[in-house]
Amino acid sequence: PRDGEIDFPEGEFNGNISAFMHWQGGTSGGSQDAYSTGVPMGGNRWHTAVIEWLPSRCTFILDGAVIGNSTTTSKIPSTAMHFVIQNGGSFSQTPDNTSQGHIYIDWVAVYKPA
């Protein structure tokens, strides 16, 4: 929790897409801003997920619509982070060896301010 963490899109395969900004200087995993989209994670539909991470705000955009905007600048992560694409199945139970899922990624772009 010390450096913060930004997770989007995140959710269980049979749940909805959510976004989380874990606060810099947080004291637990619950020290966060959380946004639910109401949009199902699964299905045969492509989605475009955008994170606009700036010193003044962290905005989450799904399919062109803003779903959350964190503006408490003292809590927005300001330290260097690494980029990870993570695929998992369930937060509430451990999947068995026969569980499987797929994530298809068309493109990823990361920009650095000039």
Side-chain angles (χ1 to χ4, degrees):
R2 182 185 75 227
D3 290 332
E5 180 177 305
I6 300 171
D7 302 311
F8 182 60
E10 184 172 64
E12 296 191 21
F13 288 146
N14 62 352
N16 291 331
I17 298 171
S18 294
F20 299 91
M21 187 195 73
H22 299 276
W23 303 335
Q24 181 169 318
T27 57
S28 72
S31 298
Q32 65 185 3
D33 292 335
Y35 307 97
S36 179
T37 66
V39 176
M41 181 70 78
N44 294 322
R45 183 166 175 244
W46 284 88
H47 295 286
T48 301
V50 176
I51 301 168
E52 291 183 352
W53 174 32
L54 303 169
S56 60
R57 64 178 168 80
C58 185
T59 301
F60 300 98
I61 303 166
L62 184 66
D63 299 329
V66 173
I67 61 146
N69 195 11
S70 298
T71 58
T72 306
T73 56
S74 64
K75 297 178 181 179
I76 295 172
S78 61
T79 56
M81 290 194 225
H82 61 275
F83 183 76
V84 175
I85 296 173
Q86 181 176 315
N87 184 359
S90 175
F91 299 119
S92 59
Q93 62 186 18
T94 303
D96 62 33
N97 291 336
T98 62
S99 295
Q100 60 180 326
H102 302 280
I103 184 171
Y104 299 102
I105 299 169
D106 187 44
W107 55 269
V108 173
V110 177
Y111 302 96
K112 179 179 178 182

